[in-house]
Amino acid sequence: MVNPILGTLVLAIGIAGAVWPYKVARFEEQLDAIGSTRSPSGVEPADWKVTLTRIVGIAIGLFGVLVLFDI
């Protein structure tokens, strides 16, 4: 019973990272800017971080498929 729910949740997180890597990486940078002197609205992710976010998103999505189908 837990596998379909957990698999769907993990798959959704992976798809978000793979389809919208810039938005996800920018959100992470905004979270990192909390408490610093930089304005959270003025941060931009580096190109390597956007690429890494896409790669990790694909890997998480594939893991979500494995959990969803109980492989």
Side-chain angles (χ1 to χ4, degrees), residues 3-57:
N3 285 348
I5 297 168
L6 181 62
T8 303
L9 179 64
V10 172
L11 182 61
I13 292 169
I15 289 173
V19 175
W20 300 292
Y22 178 81
K23 290 182 179 183
V24 172
R26 187 164 190 265
F27 178 70
E28 291 173 1
E29 290 295 325
Q30 288 174 338
L31 289 178
D32 286 342
I34 294 174
S36 72
T37 58
R38 297 186 320 175
S39 170
S41 62
V43 296
E44 293 291 326
D47 291 336
W48 66 266
K49 182 155 182 137
V50 174
T51 303
L52 185 64
T53 302
R54 180 171 300 225
I55 292 169
V56 170

